[in-house]
Amino acid sequence: MSLDLQLKQEISKAFSSLFDAELKVEDISLQPTRKEFEGSHTFVCFPYARLSKAKPEETARLIGEYLKEHVEAVADFNVVKGFLNIVLSDATWVQVFTDIWEDENFGQYPANGKEVMVEYSSPNTNKPLHLGHLRNNFLGWSVAEIFKANGYNVHKVQIINDRGIHICKSMVAWSKFGNGETPESTGKKGDKLVGDYYVKFDQEYKKEIAELVAGGMDKEAAEKEAPIFKEAQALLKKWEAKDPETYELWETMNSWVYAGFDVTYNTMGVDFDKLYYESNTFLLGKDEVMKGLEKGIFFKKEDGSVWVDLTDEGLDQKLLLRADGTSVYMTQDIGTAILRFRDFPNISQQIYTVGNEQEYHFKVLFIILDKLGYEWAKECYHLSYGMVDLPSGKMKSREGTVVDADDLMQEMTDTARQHTEELGKIEGFSEEQAKELYNTLGIGALKYFLLKVDPTKRMLFDPNESIQFQGNTGPFIQYTHARISAILRKAEQIGVEPTPEDLKNLSELQASEKNVIFLLNDYMKKLAEAAENYSPDAIAQFAYDLAKEYNRFYQEVSIFNEEDQVALKFRIAFSSVVAKTIAQAMGLLGIQVPERM
């Protein structure tokens, strides 16, 4: 039984015994005691004075006396106004720690028989991945791992946006200006090469618009009549008609992009269980739209375009098929959602990791799926997240000023190298070991900084701040793990091998030790909350709090100068559990922790 649940049950008994009042366990809330007061768990009595029919302070005092007298785990208490601060015995904390130490499955809930699907990344094949994709991938991957740790069977997927007018723009530009360039002939990653031609298209498009406007055409008409834009529209129609030459070019350029993406994903440290392609799902979406049209769920306008009317839901009308019969994003997303539930009929939820600028899109998508009669539509969830800015400002992909993901990850690794060398933390490392450490620190710093912030918030990423070895950063936590690993190596060298039996004679704990055990005991609850709220930031905060509290213990308590062998063995066991838990928590964020630095 968890410590929290045990205390709640005893508080419930206290109400029954002292006040002849029923207080259900599920209605009792405990919170951590503030640092300036003695205790670990605080019961706020103000909301329950109506049951005790006594002042909050008196209620707290009576319950405290009851717990101290009747509950072996409770050593003492103190009351601050209506706040009851509960002080547990050292023996209780030792037992809590021993239970964690002996639990081989600590940090992992048992399988619950439920399946979820998490979508993330979802790139376009007309440009490389950028800073926004980093937050997207790290967030989606981490949420998937957190659900796994909570006992779910998780399917990691992505939908690759491999068709549409934006893809055709890169194809047109390469055909007109590429002179047969390939990744091999240029030495460029394929996604970057294709991205260059997406930028080139936009440059030429703007020139043509300017020329048409200079010739007397208004800008809105010029945007539609620009020759290069009309070429892209014509190419899209040829693609949908499966014109062999168009299809071959499309497959070739996409293959370049996929090879480039694989390199980036490998550096990111993210993976997928299954890939979906819009080119394979948009036709299913079109079929569903036509069925909805036949059933009167959708309607057709005079120009032949198909729409859905969502005014009754407080929204507006939404285009599903263009007048020329080509599909839009919504069409293919309808097809993708349906195909996934056909592929994985047991999933209880689809989680879409997509930026908050698409909140309206997903609200509409889920309503449409519900209108089409799919019950599971109510279980779809948009994991919305805020954009990421750098100190230099917002990114604009069409203008070629996007913050490239590969470049930023390389910059982080380089910064980690410079910072680590300056601090002299690579003594005794081979060149290969040092290189691995720089990558571990650089990518870890990046992931941690992007994941420690509430996903819903827009954030400013400061590369220099993220790489520091002090403060709420990935390297601080990584360094703490390396420090503990050094302690454990020394313990092994001098033959200190603790067992649970050794701890039975431990009579006293330091305050810093109890603070760490409190955090360890809280980990499983934090894990459940992180899944419930889709919040890797909760795990990041836990990892930081645990590392910070352990460092306080390290500064205050001598380990190897301890003459009491029982206390020494406890501190080695204690350190090993902290290291393991830090590694588990950081692992859920996709961050490796080094054994030495």
Side-chain angles (χ1 to χ4, degrees), residues 382-435:
H382 175 205
L383 175 50
S384 174
Y385 63 90
M387 294 297 98
V388 185
D389 295 319
L390 284 167
S392 57
K394 192 177 178 181
M395 304 171 295
K396 297 178 182 177
S397 59
R398 278 195 302 277
E399 296 174 12
T401 57
V402 63
V403 181
D404 183 87
D406 293 314
D407 293 345
L408 183 56
M409 289 191 288
Q410 184 59 54
E411 180 186 329
M412 290 302 300
T413 300
D414 292 343
T415 303
R417 183 193 70 240
Q418 179 184 350
H419 200 64
T420 308
E421 288 175 347
E422 287 174 357
L423 294 173
K425 294 186 180 296
I426 54 166
E427 190 175 331
F429 278 63
S430 68
E431 186 176 334
E432 190 60 34
Q433 289 171 331
K435 183 178 178 182

Side-chain angles (χ1 to χ4, degrees), residues 86-214:
I86 301 168
V87 180
L88 300 179
S89 68
D90 284 8
T92 299
W93 286 119
V94 171
Q95 187 58 55
V96 168
F97 171 77
T98 304
D99 290 345
I100 292 171
W101 186 27
E102 293 185 295
D103 184 359
E104 294 180 357
N105 297 315
F106 182 70
Q108 174 68 54
Y109 281 98
N112 58 23
K114 297 179 181 178
E115 290 185 38
V116 297
M117 179 175 284
V118 184
E119 174 197 293
Y120 51 94
S121 196
S122 307
N124 295 326
T125 57
N126 63 323
K127 53 191 173 184
L129 304 176
H130 55 65
L131 174 57
H133 284 112
L134 290 175
R135 190 178 198 190
N136 180 300
N137 276 271
F138 298 157
L139 177 59
W141 189 92
S142 181
V143 166
E145 292 299 310
I146 288 168
F147 268 84
K148 280 185 184 178
N150 276 274
Y152 289 80
N153 181 14
V154 180
H155 307 285
K156 301 174 182 174
V157 302
Q158 66 167 322
I159 177 71
I160 299 174
N161 305 305
D162 64 340
R163 60 161 298 282
I165 191 70
H166 51 294
I167 308 300
C168 292
K169 289 177 180 179
S170 295
M171 292 165 63
V172 166
W174 183 86
S175 298
K176 292 172 74 71
F177 311 109
N179 297 315
E181 278 191 345
T182 67
E184 290 76 19
S185 70
T186 60
K188 285 186 178 179
K189 280 178 80 233
D191 52 335
K192 288 181 168 52
L193 179 65
V194 173
D196 287 346
Y197 284 101
Y198 183 60
V199 173
K200 179 67 174 175
F201 178 95
D202 192 61
Q203 292 169 345
E204 296 299 320
Y205 181 42
K206 285 177 177 175
K207 286 181 189 175
E208 293 185 356
I209 292 171
E211 289 172 4
L212 291 172
V213 170

Side-chain angles (χ1 to χ4, degrees), residues 186-328:
T186 60
K188 285 186 178 179
K189 280 178 80 233
D191 52 335
K192 288 181 168 52
L193 179 65
V194 173
D196 287 346
Y197 284 101
Y198 183 60
V199 173
K200 179 67 174 175
F201 178 95
D202 192 61
Q203 292 169 345
E204 296 299 320
Y205 181 42
K206 285 177 177 175
K207 286 181 189 175
E208 293 185 356
I209 292 171
E211 289 172 4
L212 291 172
V213 170
M217 188 180 291
D218 70 80
K219 188 179 180 184
E220 188 175 344
E223 289 171 349
K224 295 177 182 177
E225 295 300 322
I228 197 169
F229 179 70
K230 297 187 93 170
E231 284 183 65
Q233 286 182 311
L235 198 64
L236 178 59
K237 287 183 181 180
K238 288 172 74 174
W239 182 89
E240 293 208 0
K242 293 209 170 175
D243 170 69
E245 187 178 345
T246 302
Y247 225 73
E248 183 180 1
L249 175 60
W250 170 76
E251 288 181 325
T252 298
M253 293 183 70
N254 275 353
S255 71
W256 297 344
V257 174
Y258 298 147
F261 284 172
D262 286 345
V263 172
T264 306
Y265 289 139
N266 185 59
T267 306
M268 284 185 191
V270 302
D271 61 341
F272 305 92
D273 300 315
K274 187 173 178 63
L275 307 181
Y276 287 89
Y277 299 87
E278 287 188 358
S279 55
N280 294 332
T281 65
F282 83 102
L283 290 175
L284 175 57
K286 289 177 77 169
D287 288 344
E288 287 291 324
V289 170
M290 297 312 294
K291 288 177 186 176
L293 186 63
E294 291 173 11
K295 294 176 181 178
I297 299 171
F298 309 135
F299 69 95
K300 186 177 286 189
K301 290 191 175 181
E302 290 181 2
D303 64 357
S305 58
V306 179
W307 297 69
V308 61
D309 186 356
L310 300 177
T311 52
D312 287 346
E313 284 80 10
L315 304 175
D316 55 8
Q317 296 181 349
K318 182 68 180 177
L319 176 68
L320 300 178
L321 285 177
R322 298 187 185 95
D324 62 6
T326 56
S327 61
V328 295

